[in-house]
Amino acid sequence: MEMFINITINGLATGMLIFLLAAGLTLIFGLMDVLNFAHGALFLWGAYAGIWTYTTSGSFIFGIIAAIVACCILGYLLERFIVKPVYGNHIQQILITLGAMLVLSELVKVVWGPNIIHARAPEWLRGSWEIGGIFLIKYRVFIIIVGLIVFAGLLFLLNRTKLGLVVRAGVMDKEMVQALGINIRKVFLFVFILGAGMAGLGGMLFGPYSGVIYAEIGLEYGILAFIVVVIGGMGSVLGSMIAALLVGILGSYAAYFLPEIALAVNFLLMIFILVFKPSGIMGMKEALK
């Protein structure tokens, strides 16, 4: 029983990290109709900027703030100079954002070097709690709690605020929102920066979770984020959360019991969902048009 609980918690923590990356990605695609393959690079830069600040200052909180701020700035620059010129052209979006992904991944090596960097959880998040003979690793529980807080905050923003109303309306009909006199471009920029900040947060939390960070994590988790967005449904935050937890938990069990097929499990899940519900778990039929 302890083994199953620990594997599940590990899967939930992994799922939350993927959600932090995928939630911004699904909003960016749903509202802006942008295929941003550079989104994983924001996760990567969040990890490096956050862990470097954490290691240098000794403050885990400063590390989190630095990761979010760095990725918000990077997200602003990406939207202004890389994504904005190719709005409405998916082929160009794929090519230019893939190029940006490669450039940003190489820049990490230039700034911090090509070697892996070790990362440890802060003292107050090391170790575990024992509950009924079951050991719960503190840092994994912390990641789950942070993920739930971000998820609740996103739902509140989208469903309880005027800005959220504009974002949801923009997902359904951008032209109508613009016709009502709302500057949809500013909303685009806000959503892009919000998604970038969440990706940075996820990258920072990933460091102590895995114990090391390296230049390839942007591509690895970027692929997982796209799988989650497709499974959950384009433009659906709730769908992204459900899909991320499915991917995380399934991946953890596969890695433990059938490690040889662990990499293929997520793709098989995506194929299974698409066969029976092409628009994704929470997506609409129009979402893939």
Side-chain angles (χ1 to χ4, degrees):
M1 179 60 69
E2 181 183 349
M3 177 189 70
F4 284 107
I5 291 175
N6 282 326
I7 293 174
T8 301
I9 290 176
N10 184 49
L12 289 173
T14 302
M16 288 300 180
L17 289 175
I18 300 171
F19 166 74
L20 290 173
L21 185 59
L25 193 61
T26 194
L27 283 177
I28 289 169
F29 184 86
L31 176 63
M32 303 166 67
D33 197 29
V34 170
L35 292 169
N36 180 22
F37 280 84
H39 203 67
L42 298 170
F43 185 86
L44 170 66
W45 273 78
Y48 273 85
I51 294 301
W52 179 80
T53 303
Y54 167 40
T55 304
T56 304
S57 68
S59 171
F60 185 68
I61 302 300
F62 282 173
I64 290 177
I65 294 171
I68 294 172
V69 171
C71 287
C72 284
I73 294 171
L74 193 57
Y76 173 82
L77 296 175
L78 275 174
E79 199 278 338
R80 292 287 91 179
F81 301 108
I82 302 296
V83 175
K84 188 178 179 181
V86 294
Y87 277 142
N89 191 321
H90 287 163
I91 300 298
Q92 290 185 5
Q93 288 168 10
I94 292 171
L95 292 174
I96 198 168
T97 56
L98 271 176
M101 172 75 189
L102 295 174
V103 170
L104 289 170
S105 296
E106 291 304 311
L107 279 176
V108 160
K109 296 178 185 178
V110 172
V111 177
W112 286 285
N115 298 325
I116 63 172
I117 296 176
H118 294 275
R120 295 190 68 192
E123 288 285 350
W124 51 281
L125 286 175
R126 294 176 192 169
S128 58
W129 293 295
E130 182 182 0
I131 301 175
I134 297 171
F135 291 91
L136 303 177
I137 298 174
K138 291 181 181 180
Y139 191 73
R140 292 175 183 172
V141 175
F142 172 74
I143 290 176
I144 294 170
I145 292 171
V146 171
L148 289 174
I149 291 172
V150 171
F151 175 60
L154 272 178
L155 289 184
F156 179 82
L157 174 68
L158 293 173
N159 297 311
R160 301 291 182 182
T161 66
K162 182 179 179 181
L163 179 61
L165 179 64
V166 173
V167 171
R168 286 188 293 121
V171 169
M172 291 185 284
D173 194 332
K174 291 185 286 291
E175 290 76 15
M176 182 59 72
V177 171
Q178 192 130 12
L180 293 173
I182 296 170
N183 189 339
I184 197 70
R185 294 296 180 186
K186 287 187 177 179
V187 180
F188 282 3
L189 181 60
F190 167 78
V191 169
F192 204 96
I193 292 174
L194 177 64
M198 287 192 296
L201 172 61
M204 170 58 192
L205 295 179
F206 172 82
Y209 173 72
S210 67
V212 294
I213 54 175
Y214 46 93
E216 289 74 28
I217 60 172
L219 182 59
E220 292 174 8
Y221 273 75
I223 291 172
L224 285 176
F226 269 100
I227 290 174
V228 163
V229 169
V230 172
I231 292 173
M234 302 294 186
S236 172
V237 174
L238 177 58
S240 289
M241 170 60 87
I242 295 171
L245 295 181
L246 278 175
V247 167
I249 292 172
L250 212 61
S252 291
Y253 275 94
Y256 187 86
F257 292 106
L258 295 167
E260 61 275 6
I261 67 163
L263 292 175
V265 164
N266 295 323
F267 290 98
L268 292 173
L269 175 62
M270 180 175 68
I271 292 169
F272 177 81
I273 295 294
L274 291 179
V275 166
F276 293 98
K277 200 170 189 297
S279 60
I281 295 173
M282 300 294 292
M284 300 179 294
K285 291 182 179 179
E286 292 78 10
L288 295 179
K289 292 183 179 179

